[in-house]
Amino acid sequence: MWKRIASLSPLVSSSKSTLPNQASYGLNIWKSLSTGICTPVRYGNLLKEKTPFITFVLGGPGSGKGTQCIKIAQTFGFTHLSAGDLLRREILSNSEDGTMILNTIKEGKIVPSEVTVKLIKKEMESSENYKFLIDGFPRSEENRIAFERIIGAEPNVVLFFDCPEEEMVKRVLNRNEGRVDDNIDTIKKRLKVFSSLNLPVIGYYSKRGKLRTINAVGTVDEIFEQVRAVFTECEAMK
């Protein structure tokens, strides 16, 4: 679905609309609508398809964003794409990229932007949905720029799960999921990297009017009530 909208050419060529320069017209709609906070993005009468509604979900490891994404997907019909899960799946594939990703994660570093965006893009292209939660990405300005360049769109909403470092460390160590990055040394490296690189991304989207900060301390349901308010606002504007 994504690929059909992004390229436009197969659909435009088969349309019987008399609008001049339909491809240019459609792309201009993409650019003007995809940057609006909580704005329902659609092609109107030109094509009976909706352009992607993208939500970035940011927060340190253990901030609870993954759990909240599951509830958002179930409640509001989003497709949940976890950057971390996609990377771990690539590791298990034993591909060349998978080996590189594993070594990078062990060192507490961020995987090259193009690699992660490529995995995200592949999942978006194969989905029939138009609403996406991009969980755990972008984590740096380089990530952000690469996503917008390769995907060709900005997020509509950016959720930031704000959680104290000591709480995140406790949660990660207690979840006991057997992940390669769930140990005290690696988690401290990841938190340091997250703090140094993520703040510019958060600041950028705050200036763009897209940022929604969630207090990530409390029960799952208490935190979700804050999240629900954000998406209820978006639904009300459709």
Side-chain angles (χ1 to χ4, degrees):
M1 179 255 194
W2 169 278
K3 185 179 292 184
R4 294 199 304 272
I5 294 173
S7 65
L8 282 176
S9 55
L11 291 173
V12 170
S13 62
S14 63
S15 171
K16 295 182 179 181
S17 170
T18 58
L19 288 171
N21 197 2
Q22 296 173 55
S24 175
Y25 177 80
L27 289 171
N28 286 335
I29 293 176
W30 173 295
K31 293 176 182 177
S32 64
L33 292 179
S34 64
T35 57
I37 180 75
C38 290
T39 302
V41 281
R42 63 188 73 213
Y43 275 122
N45 294 326
L46 177 60
L47 297 173
K48 294 181 180 179
E49 301 250 18
K50 296 180 180 180
T51 60
F53 188 100
I54 300 171
T55 300
F56 284 162
V57 184
L58 306 179
S63 62
K65 55 187 174 55
T67 299
Q68 293 298 320
C69 280
I70 293 172
K71 292 180 73 67
I72 294 168
Q74 292 174 343
T75 305
F76 295 101
F78 279 77
T79 293
H80 175 203
L81 301 179
S82 166
D85 287 349
L86 292 176
L87 292 171
R88 283 184 284 273
R89 190 170 72 187
E90 190 67 19
I91 290 172
L92 293 175
S93 73
N94 293 318
S95 67
E96 184 176 342
D97 279 348
T99 300
M100 179 275 296
I101 291 168
L102 176 60
N103 292 333
T104 303
I105 291 176
K106 282 183 176 179
E107 295 172 4
K109 297 179 181 179
I110 292 180
V111 174
S113 301
E114 289 75 11
V115 173
T116 307
V117 175
K118 179 178 70 175
L119 295 175
I120 293 171
K121 184 173 184 286
K122 180 180 178 181
E123 293 298 312
M124 294 177 77
E125 287 177 342
S126 64
S127 176
E128 292 298 322
N129 200 355
Y130 77 98
K131 299 195 292 186
F132 297 97
L133 296 174
I134 312 298
D135 174 5
F137 194 88
R139 292 183 176 178
S140 69
E141 277 290 274
E142 181 188 6
N143 284 175
R144 178 188 67 77
I145 293 168
F147 181 93
E148 294 179 3
R149 172 175 55 82
I150 295 171
I151 302 298
E154 292 186 7
N156 299 76
V157 183
V158 179
L159 293 182
F160 170 51
F161 286 85
D162 190 13
C163 188
E165 181 174 323
E166 60 270 20
E167 179 67 18
M168 289 191 285
V169 171
K170 182 175 69 174
R171 289 177 181 177
V172 171
L173 294 179
N174 287 341
R175 65 189 179 190
N176 192 28
E177 294 178 355
R179 285 164 36 173
V180 67
D181 49 347
D182 282 357
N183 62 76
I184 188 66
D185 292 332
T186 301
I187 184 60
K188 287 185 175 180
K189 287 180 182 178
R190 290 172 64 203
L191 285 169
K192 184 177 181 180
V193 171
F194 176 82
S195 297
S196 64
L197 296 182
N198 207 239
L199 287 179
V201 177
I202 293 169
Y204 175 84
Y205 286 121
S206 178
K207 292 178 181 177
R208 298 281 289 171
K210 297 175 182 288
L211 188 71
R212 296 293 183 269
T213 300
I214 305 297
N215 178 7
V217 178
T219 67
V220 171
D221 288 339
E222 288 171 345
I223 295 169
F224 185 65
E225 285 308 305
Q226 301 175 62
V227 175
R228 184 194 298 275
V230 173
F231 289 101
T232 298
E233 176 189 351
C234 294
E235 292 287 325
M237 295 181 67
K238 289 185 179 180

